[in-house]
Amino acid sequence: MIGKDLKTAIKLLNEGKLVAIPTETVYGLAGNALDENAVSEIFRVKNRPTFDPLIVHTDNLEKVQNLVSDFPEMALALARHFWAGALTLLLPRKPIIPDLVTNGSPLVAIRIPNHSMTLELLKNLDFPLAAPSANPFGYISPTTAMHVEKQLGNKISYILDGGACQLGLESTIIGFENDAPIIYRKGGISVEVIEKIIGKVQIKEHSVSDPQAPGMLKSHYAPRIPLVVGEIESLMAEHTHKKIGILSFQKYFEQLPANQQFALSENGDFSEAARHLFSAMRALDEQDLDIILAELLPEKDLGRAINDRLRRAAARE
Ligand code: TXA
Ligand code: MG
């Protein structure tokens, strides 16, 4: 059921049940992060392999301190600057975090999401919430309550409706190796903005399927029908006999019916493009098409994270 009732969500979560929650990035599938049963239910409902660990969400820094055994200076600077917001930090966990949440890793992924309804929810719980994106494993992340309802509605008791996600891209994940910051997943806060706060940051490019590098599975965020990236006009020439859909940055193409194409931002605005990316991909995927042709954005600002999602959507193993 979809609704806006915090009391219902609080009650269900206290009973160990799962609730889909809105965040500024994408919708999450949430359960008590300290309850092994609730956490294993998350993996089951998403059909997610347990080697892909979960992000833990809470609503303030003091609560984070109770979950981590160390909070290095640079991580704290990032937290102070970007929380609540689209930044996830990998930090040494305290034993209170179940093994299942981190796949046995000594590090736990933590963030404070920036959504008033979910912050209010977290404030009223005496445990943090483990929440992966609320989509079946490998599929496109949901940015509205209706997206969640369509795919997981029959498997979860409640979907808290907080409107369409403001950012539309998952959080940026940062960890540290020998005190040096590393971006493990490009996301809603751009590399440029992060580098303004802490200087040069290394970026880890994803591997095809390396369980040693969770969160970096290449094939991900994928529609059901094939998606290819490249220059739209030459792709159209290559795929003349197919029923195609187009995902462009700014332009519409006269050769094709309007409903078979989406321009992510006619004005070339990266934030708007990010906000529209997943819902446009879904809308195309729901039509009776053979293939989606997508073009990459300029490789800067949020364009980098958007391109990362497009390339992963195109990757088929
Ligand atoms: O914006 C977001 O981050 C959304 C919202 C709901 O907060 N959540 C999200 O979760 O994108 P998910 O599970 O779809 O992606 C989390 C990624 C995973 O790919 C996972 O492998 C990585 O974070 N991750 C989680 N815990 C980790 C850990 N302990 N070490 C390394 N990577 C971790
Ligand atoms: Mg996900």
Side-chain angles (χ1 to χ4, degrees), residues 190-266:
S190 71
V191 179
E192 287 87 341
V193 167
I194 286 162
E195 289 189 333
K196 274 195 195 130
I197 307 303
I198 53 168
K200 194 76 194 146
V201 179
Q202 195 191 319
I203 302 172
K204 206 139 199 152
E205 296 303 335
H206 48 245
S207 66
V208 175
S209 166
D210 178 5
Q212 290 311 107
M216 306 190 67
L217 298 176
K218 196 169 174 204
S219 176
H220 223 116
Y221 315 99
R224 272 174 296 254
I225 59 177
L227 180 149
V228 290
V229 291
E231 203 268 308
I232 301 279
E233 255 141 12
S234 46
L235 287 173
M236 280 171 94
E238 253 176 70
H239 296 279
T240 41
H241 298 296
K242 291 182 186 158
K243 188 161 183 206
I244 61 174
I246 291 178
L247 198 56
S248 81
F249 181 25
Q250 297 180 256
K251 274 198 309 204
Y252 285 93
F253 296 80
E254 286 171 4
Q255 307 92 305
L256 213 67
N259 67 324
Q260 278 166 246
Q261 49 186 320
F262 283 90
L264 293 177
S265 169
E266 287 183 60

Side-chain angles (χ1 to χ4, degrees), residues 154-189:
N154 60 348
K155 295 185 177 168
I156 47 183
S157 350
Y158 199 61
I159 299 165
L160 199 54
D161 186 357
C165 299
Q166 287 294 308
L167 270 168
L169 277 183
E170 295 85 350
S171 60
T172 303
I173 302 181
I174 297 194
F176 304 87
E177 272 171 35
N178 306 318
D179 292 331
I182 299 180
I183 293 182
Y184 288 92
R185 179 177 71 185
K186 293 169 216 164
I189 298 178

Side-chain angles (χ1 to χ4, degrees), residues 98-172:
D99 279 346
L100 191 55
V101 171
T102 72
N103 181 35
S105 164
L107 301 177
V108 60
I110 299 206
R111 90 175 183 105
I112 300 180
N114 188 16
H115 191 291
S116 55
M117 195 181 245
T118 290
L119 286 171
E120 187 61 25
L121 172 68
L122 287 162
K123 205 168 101 185
N124 283 284
L125 295 171
D126 51 21
F127 48 81
L129 292 174
S133 51
N135 51 281
F137 183 67
Y139 194 66
I140 305 164
S141 302
T143 52
T144 67
M146 193 48 83
H147 291 165
V148 183
E149 168 71 21
K150 275 194 184 156
Q151 293 190 306
L152 299 177
N154 60 348
K155 295 185 177 168
I156 47 183
S157 350
Y158 199 61
I159 299 165
L160 199 54
D161 186 357
C165 299
Q166 287 294 308
L167 270 168
L169 277 183
E170 295 85 350
S171 60
T172 303

